[in-house]
Amino acid sequence: MLALWVYKRVWLLLAAYGGILGSLTMFPNSPIWSLSSFIGEVIFSPFKLLLAVFLFVVGFLAYSLFVRDIIRIWNPDYKVSLRTPRLLFVIMASLSWFHLLITNWRVALFALVLASWYGIMDVKFESYR
């Protein structure tokens, strides 16, 4: 049981980190204030932009599960199984965030805000069940 849970969490962490890192490298490098350059990127390589957006969404949704684990670990209202392995994966997810913030802090910070928001909403939704 624990081995399957760890296997899923490893793949989840790889999807989160790989999704955000892949989207960081695939987003157009044109400045935001240059609308013609951005439109040129969208017209001439729409699949690259679509893949970057898809990877970004996969990444922040996967990171939101780690945010949900943080809240479950430190909230005494939740009875959490596997508290220590969850904490280890949260620490590994936090360490991967440092690399993402060093690589491109704007996009990584935006993904972290979205992941935090969605993770908090997911915990609140599950508490009403």
Side-chain angles (χ1 to χ4, degrees):
M1 177 71 180
L2 178 66
L4 182 62
W5 186 85
V6 168
Y7 182 72
K8 287 180 183 178
R9 288 296 166 145
V10 166
W11 279 108
L12 185 66
L13 186 60
L14 287 174
Y17 178 71
I20 298 294
L21 189 65
S23 70
L24 289 177
T25 59
M26 295 179 86
F27 274 132
N29 291 330
S30 64
I32 293 175
W33 56 85
S34 174
L35 184 62
S36 62
S37 178
F38 183 74
I39 289 175
E41 285 282 336
V42 171
I43 289 174
F44 293 118
S45 59
F47 295 115
K48 181 180 172 185
L49 184 65
L50 182 65
L51 183 62
V53 169
F54 176 74
L55 287 174
F56 182 81
V57 169
V58 166
F60 93 78
L61 286 177
Y63 272 123
S64 71
L65 296 177
F66 293 109
V67 171
R68 186 182 68 186
D69 283 344
I70 290 171
I71 295 170
R72 283 183 176 175
I73 288 170
W74 276 290
N75 192 351
D77 294 339
Y78 293 104
K79 294 180 180 164
V80 178
S81 62
L82 305 170
R83 185 176 299 265
T84 304
R86 284 180 196 267
L87 185 61
L88 290 174
F89 276 104
V90 164
I91 291 170
M92 285 192 294
S94 300
L95 290 175
S96 70
W97 269 107
F98 287 123
H99 179 260
L100 293 173
L101 287 171
I102 290 169
T103 305
N104 189 343
W105 68 273
R106 289 182 184 136
V107 177
L109 187 63
F110 183 62
L112 180 62
V113 167
L114 286 177
S116 299
W117 184 37
Y118 193 75
I120 291 169
M121 283 188 343
D122 192 26
V123 169
K124 294 294 182 187
F125 179 69
E126 286 182 1
S127 67
Y128 292 123
R129 288 184 198 176

